[in-house]
Amino acid sequence: MQNGMHTETERCVRAVQSKDARFDGWFFTAVLTTRIYCRPSCPVVPPKPENMTFYPSAAACQQAGFRACKRCRPDTSPGSPEWNRRADLVARAMRLIGDGIVDREGVPGLATRLGYSTRQIERQLLAELGAGPLALARAQRAQTARLLIETTPLPMAEIAFAAGFSSIRAFNDTVREVFALAPSDLRTRAPRNGANATGSNSTGTPGVLDLRLPFRAPLNPDNLFGHLVATAVPGVEEWRDGAYRRTLRLPYGHGVVALTPRPDHIGCRLTLSDLRDLTVAISRCRRMLDLDADPVAVDDQLRTDPVLAPLVDKAPGRRVPRTVDEAEFAVRAVLGQQVSTAAARTHAARLVTAHGDPVDDPEGGLTHLFPSVEALAALDPEALAMPATRRTTLTTLVTQLADGTVHVGVEGDWAETRAKLLALPGFGPWTVEVIAMRALGDPDAFPTTDLGVRYAAKELGLPSTPAALTARAADWRPWRAYAVQYLWATGTHPINFLPDRPHQPSTPQVPAKRRRQAPKDIP
């Protein structure tokens, strides 16, 4: 599937007529007779093809005068996979808009972060998405408002400002225009059984929300949650009662999230110190769990390799575990250089205890936010208990992250960031590629020097030297980061399994006596 699918009318009509949920988020169907827009999988009887028109975004539908369907709730579709597989201007802009930059800094702030003029950004977004940055941000605010209206008892005035609206009037007008209901009517009509697409009824505790995060099936949670838990930093992350929990550093405050894998969604329990951070928190959690991926496209490509095909068929839908804080992950990648997973966790935990911001967690055992790069950059290097060479690597990294010389956030250009990281002391291909894979979100990142990848390749009969494996993996592009997940899963390291499940490697054909734990440099 390529960008601009909404222009492929026949293909879109077939997807709508078959109610194919795989295309939710790829495009939106606007019905000319009812002036309503839907997701492709809408359960109502499909309209006649001549009454359908297609748009690339919910914002474009709204801008054209269509209102959201009350049945399929198109504003709650999974996000388009395009923004996580591309590194061009439009994709970077969409990731930043999802992170709330337009609400906090306006379109000029978006332009500054991307290094383009506001006119260039508006022109490209309009050409590709049918809506400019303000309209896209407005659609996102409307979705957040709906979520808060339907899942919390908050007064409407508080919801308006928590969702990012500048006034009660703008909030009321937008909700009426997008959903064809007044805010109070939207609350009255809200489902009371917790079955809606992204929210269930709140517990009533101030600042606590129970949500449902949708994804495109299939999703294999084993390596996704297993990786996050096996590498969890004590005090910042934990596995408790079947959920991965961690603290969040957010623009207006902080939060704690508990993420629970379910068959058809991810349960998400958010505790926020400031509700204005709701949109950003959801966006970052979705990004960490790679929930906007298109697993069918990924797996179909990897199945073309006869070596990978059995691994994919046995456990399809593997995601790439990412991060809620790109700078944090870059720091942790340095701490994990040439040491075991356990040692890396210990080093990170010491840093957290000494320099992290304390938080309260009444529902669990989390104690701190991971230290900000600004706080780490201000430290006396001698206070860091690590070898001198790694200390230099870490202090150089945090200094350049703090002053903006290096960007590993959602706005970062993947090629440019790789080049800047490689220029830092102590940064080699392994560190750069794991940061590209888990922080930058490049789906084609490929750490060929990773020992786990090399061991798996050898066991499977693939070339195990970096150059030969890179050549052999050409057919896996642009999904080599996903291929890495399938390769890692041939081992018995805890990263490959949910903590509550027995360890069953995904390649039973490999003799048990030759099995190894994944090696020391698992990121």
Side-chain angles (χ1 to χ4, degrees):
M1 281 175 271
Q2 300 297 322
N3 176 50
M5 183 181 174
H6 70 286
T7 64
E8 301 177 39
T9 302
E10 290 185 8
R11 192 178 182 192
C12 291
V13 168
R14 288 197 302 271
V16 172
Q17 290 177 334
S18 62
K19 303 183 189 300
D20 196 332
R22 293 176 302 168
F23 295 97
D24 288 353
W26 279 99
F27 68 91
F28 296 83
T29 307
V31 185
L32 299 173
T33 51
T34 62
R35 305 302 296 175
I36 289 172
Y37 73 94
C38 303
R39 61 171 78 195
S41 64
C42 184
V44 302
V45 177
K48 295 178 180 178
E50 60 265 28
N51 292 329
M52 299 183 201
T53 187
F54 304 103
Y55 289 91
S57 66
C61 294
Q62 294 167 19
Q63 196 157 267
F66 294 89
R67 61 184 185 275
C69 174
K70 296 182 177 67
R71 287 286 303 279
C72 70
R73 304 161 66 87
D75 53 307
T76 62
S77 299
S80 171
E82 287 294 328
W83 318 135
N84 289 341
R85 64 175 287 187
R86 291 164 39 186
D88 56 27
L89 174 61
V90 170
R92 290 159 58 203
M94 288 301 292
R95 290 196 286 269
L96 279 171
I97 291 169
D99 205 51
I101 290 299
V102 172
D103 288 338
R104 296 194 302 275
E105 302 177 13
V107 178
L110 174 68
T112 298
R113 286 174 176 262
L114 293 171
Y116 287 80
S117 70
T118 57
R119 182 173 297 180
Q120 287 173 304
I121 292 170
E122 288 172 348
R123 183 170 61 247
Q124 291 208 32
L125 288 174
L126 279 168
E128 187 160 338
L129 289 160
L134 288 176
L136 291 161
R138 177 178 178 267
Q140 184 169 273
R141 286 195 296 274
Q143 180 182 347
T144 302
R146 179 181 196 162
L147 185 60
L148 290 172
I149 289 168
E150 294 183 340
T151 65
T152 77
L154 288 173
M156 295 299 175
E158 291 186 34
I159 289 175
F161 292 108
F165 289 97
S166 58
S167 68
I168 300 294
R169 180 175 179 177
F171 162 72
N172 287 329
D173 290 348
T174 298
V175 170
R176 285 193 180 96
E177 182 179 334
V178 173
F179 304 114
L181 289 170
S184 57
D185 294 331
L186 198 59
R187 175 167 282 172
T188 301
R189 293 171 57 100
R192 298 301 172 191
N193 59 3
N196 50 314
T198 60
S200 60
N201 293 327
S202 171
T203 61
T205 305
V208 179
L209 294 168
D210 286 317
L211 316 172
R212 295 157 61 99
L213 305 183
F215 54 77
R216 293 175 184 83
L219 182 144
N220 186 323
D222 293 11
N223 74 299
L224 180 58
F225 285 87
H227 205 125
L228 295 171
V229 175
T231 60
V233 177
V236 174
E237 303 164 283
E238 68 175 2
W239 179 262
R240 182 182 292 266
D241 299 328
Y244 166 74
R245 304 178 75 248
R246 70 153 294 151
T247 58
L248 304 171
R249 183 182 296 278
L250 298 164
Y252 294 105
H254 65 270
V256 171
V257 66
L259 297 161
T260 307
R262 304 292 188 198
D264 62 349
H265 69 275
I266 300 296
C268 174
R269 183 173 173 86
L270 271 171
T271 305
L272 300 174
S273 63
D274 192 318
L275 280 174
R276 290 178 295 175
D277 285 321
L278 175 62
T279 301
V280 175
I282 292 174
S283 174
R284 293 183 183 179
C285 290
R286 292 190 64 81
R287 181 170 168 79
M288 176 174 66
L289 299 182
D290 197 18
L291 297 186
D292 291 326
D294 183 354
V296 174
V298 172
D299 288 351
D300 282 352
Q301 177 69 23
L302 298 183
R303 280 192 184 97
T304 62
D305 188 313
V307 175
L308 292 186
L311 308 182
V312 176
D313 290 339
K314 182 176 179 62
R318 292 192 184 276
R319 301 301 208 270
V320 178
R322 295 196 172 121
T323 180
V324 294
D325 188 322
E326 295 81 11
E328 172 193 311
F329 183 81
V331 170
R332 289 170 61 172
V334 170
L335 295 176
Q337 289 176 334
Q338 304 302 315
V339 299
S340 68
T341 301
R345 295 178 69 213
T346 298
H347 291 328
R350 289 172 182 161
L351 207 62
V352 165
T353 301
H355 308 293
D357 299 323
V359 298
D360 293 325
D361 177 24
E363 298 185 351
L366 303 180
T367 59
H368 290 81
L369 300 175
F370 197 87
S372 68
V373 291
E374 291 79 11
L376 294 176
L379 292 178
D380 178 357
E382 297 300 321
L384 298 171
M386 59 184 65
T389 52
R390 192 166 308 138
R391 184 188 308 151
T392 299
T393 300
L394 182 62
T395 55
T396 305
L397 171 67
V398 296
T399 298
Q400 295 204 9
L401 289 172
D403 67 16
T405 302
V406 173
H407 296 281
V408 292
V410 293
E411 75 274 22
D413 177 275
W414 296 341
E416 179 183 332
T417 301
R418 276 182 168 92
K420 288 185 176 181
L421 290 174
L422 277 172
L424 298 179
F427 271 75
W430 179 84
T431 307
V432 171
E433 285 304 300
V434 296
I435 290 174
M437 180 168 62
R438 297 196 54 198
L440 299 182
D442 183 353
D444 203 39
F446 193 36
T448 54
T449 59
D450 179 84
L451 292 179
V453 170
R454 293 173 63 187
Y455 285 157
K458 183 177 180 180
E459 298 284 10
L460 293 168
L462 295 167
S464 57
T465 62
L469 183 58
T470 298
R472 175 65 173 75
D475 290 340
W476 304 346
R477 306 192 74 170
W479 309 118
R480 292 182 302 179
Y482 292 86
V484 168
Q485 308 310 311
Y486 286 104
L487 293 176
W488 276 340
T490 62
T492 57
H493 193 284
I495 65 164
N496 296 312
F497 309 97
L498 281 175
D500 300 334
R501 292 186 184 174
H503 290 193
Q504 298 265 334
S506 65
T507 50
Q509 72 274 19
V510 179
K513 67 179 182 180
R514 296 182 64 194
R515 290 216 163 277
R516 296 181 177 94
Q517 288 240 332
K520 293 181 178 180
D521 57 355
I522 287 294

